[in-house]
Amino acid sequence: MRFFPYKFGCLLAFVCFVSVTWITSIPNNEGIGKLPIGYRTFLLPNIYIFMPHLRKHRDSLVPNVVLGQGRRGVSIVLGIPTVKREKQSYLVNTLSSLLFSLTSSQCQDLVIIVFVAETNSDYVNSVAETIKKNFPKEVQSGLLEVISPSQYYYPNFTTLKETFGDSKERVKWRTKQNLDFSFLMLYAQDKGIFYVQLEDDVVAKSSYYDDMKAYATKEDSKPWLYLEFSQLGFIGKMFRTRDLPMIAEFFLMFHRDKPIDWLLDHILWVKACNPERDGKHCEQQKATLKQRYKPSLFQHVGLHSSLPGKLQHLKDKDFGKQTLHKAHNNPTAEVRSSLKHYQEHSLERAYKGQDFFWAITPVEGDYILFNFFQPIHTSGYLFRSGNIETSGDKFFNTTVEVLPSNELTRDKPIGPRYRKSEDGFIIVGEFENGVAEGEIDAALQPVSALRLVIHSDSDVWALLSEILIKV
């Protein structure tokens, strides 16, 4: 049986092994429903055996859905567990990287679940508010969800045994990670076809969605348990959602005993290895159940681990160099700006598609001007600020304005859709969450110039990673 979450949460989908199932042993000649003397009933293994403390509270398996629209039926589900870090949070940058280059159709075929693995409601709500503030459209559309566990989900960690030479603090950390990943997997199991486990301190290649979907589709007929899109730890591991109940049950069964990457390897051993053969043969057999995609699509960037006091210097050498701008063939124009660019990241190079434009902190009144040598008919524009590595350097409170080449067009009434500036330019759009994209009405054509105008001082630098003027 399954229970599905709805707007503010309901029973977590822990499938049949959560439910209490009784088996009765009776001979063929006995009546159904009658237990002969000497026969006993027994209880099948379920989550309450692995985590007996859950029996004490009826709502211990109810997920707290803080933000979400209950999206299902997508191709790919991304799961991101996050905890309160002592030093620095990377979550907003991670989400910005994942959302940065998605098309509208990709956004509809994806759901990103942020699992705040904390029971402090104030902290959980603060994370949700941060996400809602930075990604309002993605939350409203159902692309982004934020969930947290019940306050009764976690056991008493003080009774854990120290093993493998790990400190008590590390044993607690790895045990909680096993429980966190299991919770997230079981919540995600009915939402899509493929599930990808990530961490909250990564950056993604701009093509990650298409690359993952194409590779998973190509390899779908093979008997793999998971696909690897990064060689580091549990980052970028893709599973079929139909396998998640079995995987999570295994993790829950041994959650006190070993780290999660060891447990995943043990699943491969159980499925593939012959104990009568040697280790080399075992490794060969396990290799049939996992497929590695190169180059890696995700890179670990966090320095401070979620384990207090631990510094994490791991880097994926297969990730390669990240593309930090997107080039387009734009119409010939003279480009000018009041902004001072940093090093070689000039506006001229960005307009030609050779680099991104990176400017020192803007102030009110700063502008970027594209003055066309000949008036052009343009159907629209796209300006994308920030990039995957510098996602916070965006344009805020900035308008997009065009100058019609026909003076009569500038002077005549333009209706409620547009506003006029004092010097004849017409405001046709503005930046929202770092992106300005729109069409230009035929009544304003042709145009002799296009500009961006900043209307308030900024706290950060500004970066344009994509400039497209459609002709």
Side-chain angles (χ1 to χ4, degrees), residues 55-116:
R55 294 191 179 118
K56 298 178 182 178
H57 302 280
R58 293 180 58 186
D59 58 350
S60 58
L61 297 178
V62 178
N64 176 28
V65 183
V66 188
L67 298 174
Q69 305 295 332
R71 178 181 287 193
R72 290 186 179 81
V74 300
S75 294
I76 297 176
V77 182
L78 303 182
I80 305 175
T82 186
V83 297
K84 188 175 183 179
R85 295 175 182 262
E86 288 185 344
K87 297 289 185 180
Q88 180 180 359
S89 174
Y90 306 93
L91 180 59
V92 170
N93 284 344
T94 294
L95 293 175
S96 295
S97 174
L98 294 170
L99 297 169
F100 180 75
S101 59
L102 292 178
T103 65
S104 58
S105 61
Q106 291 170 346
C107 287
Q108 296 170 12
D109 194 34
L110 179 72
V111 61
I112 302 173
I113 305 168
V114 177
F115 174 55
V116 186

Side-chain angles (χ1 to χ4, degrees), residues 393-414:
D393 289 355
K394 296 179 179 179
F395 280 83
F396 301 96
N397 196 15
T398 301
T399 54
V400 182
E401 306 176 2
V402 297
L403 181 66
S405 62
N406 190 330
E407 293 186 7
L408 295 177
T409 302
R410 301 178 209 169
D411 296 334
K412 69 181 181 181
I414 55 175

